[in-house]
Amino acid sequence: MEFLVPDHLETERLILRQFRDEDWKDLHHYYSSAEATKFTVGREFTEGETWRTMCGMVGHWQVRGYGPYALEEKSSGRVLGTAGFWYPNDWPSPEIKWALAPEHWGKGYASEAARAVQNAGICHLPDISLISFINAQNTASIRLAHAIGAKFEKEVLFRGANWHIYRHPRET
């Protein structure tokens, strides 16, 4: 399959790339944290669930032609989390997502990655109006959406909770 967006992006501190088999171990720092998953999947994952979720992100690229990237820190080679394009079949619209293990919060990695994804979307997916779909209680992700120029559009009920749709700009 030919991808609709580059399968590799770089920022000052990060390499955004396809997931590899061994990445699940670093990604599990996110998925095994109740604090990190509180507003996304809603619970801690087992190692097997993390691996299957990572494989789902890899498969997303095959089905949609775009998907989430592994966020590899250039200086250490560690995967800090994920950011990228995401459009599950029950989502309201294609989105830009981000998720980092708690030990990497507050260092600007999520905004750095989200801006790179946003720019790739503007360039390579000009006909798709991207959103970020954020639990209404997730104030950190709401702050990040605002910081990268996404605008609140509306609140919707999703899986028994209130979620916000933030629309990303279509140009830089």
Side-chain angles (χ1 to χ4, degrees), residues 80-111:
L80 311 181
T82 183
F85 304 101
W86 189 237
Y87 190 23
N89 66 349
D90 58 347
W91 244 232
S93 187
E95 85 157 328
I96 296 173
K97 69 176 273 171
W98 51 81
L100 293 176
E103 61 264 30
H104 308 298
W105 293 355
K107 299 175 184 175
Y109 290 118
S111 61

Side-chain angles (χ1 to χ4, degrees), residues 76-149:
S76 70
R78 288 187 59 204
V79 171
L80 311 181
T82 183
F85 304 101
W86 189 237
Y87 190 23
N89 66 349
D90 58 347
W91 244 232
S93 187
E95 85 157 328
I96 296 173
K97 69 176 273 171
W98 51 81
L100 293 176
E103 61 264 30
H104 308 298
W105 293 355
K107 299 175 184 175
Y109 290 118
S111 61
E112 187 174 325
R115 282 186 178 94
V117 172
Q118 196 178 54
N119 289 334
I122 290 167
C123 182
H124 298 282
L125 302 172
D127 297 330
I128 297 178
S129 181
L130 295 163
I131 66 166
S132 283
F133 195 40
I134 303 172
N135 183 295
Q137 296 180 26
N138 189 344
T139 56
S141 281
I142 289 169
R143 278 193 308 273
L144 177 53
H146 285 294
I148 63 172

Side-chain angles (χ1 to χ4, degrees), residues 90-92 133 135 156-163:
D90 58 347
W91 244 232
F133 195 40
N135 183 295
V156 298
L157 184 63
F158 181 73
R159 298 180 183 166
N162 292 323
W163 286 66

Side-chain angles (χ1 to χ4, degrees), residues 11-17 26 70-81 104 107 109 112:
T11 67
E12 181 182 337
R13 300 178 295 164
L14 299 169
I15 297 170
L16 287 70
R17 59 162 174 79
D26 285 340
L71 303 183
E72 180 183 316
E73 184 182 39
K74 286 180 178 179
S75 64
S76 70
R78 288 187 59 204
V79 171
L80 311 181
H104 308 298
K107 299 175 184 175
Y109 290 118
E112 187 174 325

